[in-house]
Amino acid sequence: MVWLTRFKELPLALRVLFLASFVNRAGMFVFPLLAVYLVRGKDLGPGEAGLLLSIGSTGLLVGSLLSGPLCDLRGRRAALLTALVLNAAGYLGLAVLDGAPWTYAVLLFVALVGMGMFSPASNTLVADLTTPEQRPFAYTISYVGNNLGMGVGPLLGGVAAAYSYHVMFAGNILAGLLCAAMITLWVPRDRRSPNAESRKGKGRSGPLGHRHVLLVVLVSFFYVVPLIGLEYALPLAVTTVLHDSAGLVGAVYTINSVVVVSLGLLMEKHIRGYGTKALLLVAGLLWTLGLAVIVFGFSLPAILLSTVVWTLGEIIVSVVVPTYIADHVDERRVGGFMALNGFVLGLARLVVPFGLGVLWSAHGHRPVFVTLLLAPLAGMAAFVLLRIRPSASAVPPSTSAPEPRAAPASN
């Protein structure tokens, strides 16, 4: 298989990182079941559990913001290891401590700071260890592996929780520590890439020196809004509006994971050679078409069909945005911009469900889905106006990529 050959050409450190990321995602037994654990395991009320989860989830934002400075000050590997240790420590406290409700919010905050730090640091390391031609493929592999792990994790977590909540937490913690061991052994300490000096001279120092990158990351918020909004709205729509079984909600996420895993690598092959602006506009169009199916044909079959369509847009954005950051930001600031990209996702997780909840309570489900439909349209309009530079990775599919840089030796 061509993709396997390309995978073997990546540095060993990245292949280990992708495997560790999959294990880490697959081992995230706790996160999807936190509300259940707080209600049944800690005897909290549903409202109280929801409040604690909202407070604790601010850790995702803090972790995203801390990831960039930590990558710059202590290195990418140090940031990855810190993320895993914080996540394990927070969940260990949740598993063994029996205190006041506010202590659960603090421990969850610690765990989610670690979760928020991991992805930006991982994306920064990918940028360090790949050539421009390898980056879209590397980010696609990372995204596919994470989604595969997220598909396996809740299933394993449900089985573990049915046996014992302590088993559930132990599995999560052990998976994180296994990843930390793999990264310690095979991911080297940082080094400057061969072209670092040339990249240092690009643009002015600071975020405004890369204003076009900053704007691309910020505008991508309009493509994140429907993703997070659907996480909130679809379960409610299926169970309270269509009056179908909650089990059918799982079908939506299964379809999403199947599309990502089965079509992610195929799409990466075909989007090579196209400019960043064109790809972002296509992603917005796919999001718009998928949401239009729900708005104008609201039914369970429409929801399932729309999932296939908008997932294609999700794949494109998830590959194109980090690739654009890696291609156009000087090496000293890649970590900060990857952290900003993670912050955009974390911010959406905080504000979108609350805003849609207020809208749903006041006007019902239809305005919620219309709002989600308008978000990618706004994003497309903004991307049309933005000046987006050509990406170094935009080469014709028939063009052979140069030899990858050799992975650095561990210090």
Side-chain angles (χ1 to χ4, degrees):
M1 290 187 242
V2 176
W3 73 266
L4 187 58
T5 301
R6 295 176 69 192
F7 182 75
K8 291 179 179 178
E9 290 174 349
L10 295 174
L12 174 62
L14 284 189
R15 285 179 273 155
V16 171
L17 175 66
F18 295 152
L19 178 60
S21 297
F22 167 75
V23 172
N24 188 44
R25 286 289 184 179
M28 284 185 176
F29 302 158
V30 174
F31 188 66
L33 298 168
L34 278 171
V36 176
Y37 173 70
L38 290 175
V39 172
R40 296 185 177 178
K42 296 296 185 181
D43 297 321
L44 300 180
E48 193 175 15
L51 176 61
L52 294 180
L53 288 175
S54 296
I55 295 172
S57 293
T58 59
L60 292 170
L61 287 176
V62 174
S64 296
L65 291 176
L66 290 178
S67 183
L70 186 57
C71 279
D72 294 336
L73 292 175
R74 306 298 298 176
R76 283 55 161 148
R77 185 175 73 169
L80 291 168
L81 294 176
T82 301
L84 293 168
V85 170
L86 285 175
N87 189 256
Y91 282 154
L92 179 62
L94 281 173
V96 301
L97 296 181
D98 190 12
W102 66 266
T103 62
Y104 305 143
V106 171
L107 292 167
L108 179 59
F109 176 85
V110 172
L112 296 189
V113 166
M115 184 183 292
M117 288 176 60
F118 189 88
S119 183
S122 175
N123 284 341
T124 304
L125 188 60
V126 173
D128 286 348
L129 299 182
T130 54
T131 63
E133 293 76 16
Q134 290 174 317
R135 282 176 192 144
F137 175 73
Y139 284 120
T140 302
I141 287 287
S142 177
Y143 186 65
V144 169
N146 282 335
N147 273 268
L148 188 59
M150 286 189 289
V152 173
L155 176 63
L156 297 177
V159 173
Y163 181 77
S164 166
Y165 287 121
H166 287 98
V167 171
M168 178 182 73
F169 277 101
N172 197 132
I173 293 168
L174 289 175
L177 294 179
L178 174 60
C179 293
M182 294 168 64
I183 290 171
T184 300
L185 290 173
W186 287 294
V187 173
R189 292 186 176 90
D190 292 3
R191 59 89 176 92
R192 295 292 179 186
S193 63
N195 61 348
E197 294 303 318
S198 64
R199 291 178 68 189
K200 284 181 183 179
K202 287 188 178 182
R204 302 187 302 275
S205 178
L208 293 181
H210 303 291
R211 185 169 56 185
H212 62 108
V213 183
L214 178 65
L215 290 174
V216 165
V217 174
L218 294 178
V219 173
S220 69
F221 177 80
F222 290 104
Y223 291 173
V224 177
V225 166
L227 178 64
I228 304 304
L230 289 174
E231 288 184 0
Y232 166 82
L234 283 184
L236 287 178
V238 170
T239 56
T240 66
V241 180
L242 297 175
H243 303 291
D244 280 308
S245 168
L248 292 174
V249 175
V252 173
Y253 294 103
T254 299
I255 291 173
N256 176 259
S257 296
V258 168
V259 172
V260 170
V261 173
S262 61
L263 297 182
L265 291 172
L266 181 64
M267 288 187 65
E268 185 276 330
K269 178 181 177 182
H270 288 286
I271 66 177
R272 282 182 288 154
Y274 293 95
T276 299
K277 176 175 283 193
L279 291 173
L280 289 172
L281 292 176
V282 169
L285 180 61
L286 289 167
W287 268 112
T288 301
L289 291 175
L291 290 162
V293 170
I294 299 178
V295 171
F296 297 108
F298 189 76
S299 65
L300 183 61
I303 289 175
L304 298 179
L305 174 61
S306 75
T307 302
V308 176
V309 179
W310 61 255
T311 297
L312 300 178
E314 177 193 356
I315 293 171
I316 294 174
V317 175
S318 299
V319 173
V320 168
V321 173
T323 299
Y324 191 76
I325 294 171
D327 283 350
H328 293 286
V329 176
D330 68 61
E331 190 173 18
R332 295 169 300 169
R333 304 200 64 84
V334 170
F337 275 86
M338 292 296 183
L340 177 63
N341 192 38
F343 178 82
V344 167
L345 177 62
L347 180 63
R349 289 193 181 279
L350 283 184
V351 303
V352 172
F354 174 76
L356 294 182
V358 172
L359 185 61
W360 190 308
S361 298
H363 302 288
H365 72 279
R366 184 171 177 79
V368 168
F369 288 102
V370 171
T371 300
L372 295 180
L373 173 62
L374 293 176
L377 288 173
M380 291 175 67
F383 281 128
V384 166
L385 298 175
L386 287 185
R387 182 182 177 186
I388 299 177
R389 297 180 184 179
S391 176
S393 58
V395 296
S398 58
T399 302
S400 298
E403 290 295 318
R405 294 196 298 264
S410 180
N411 292 336

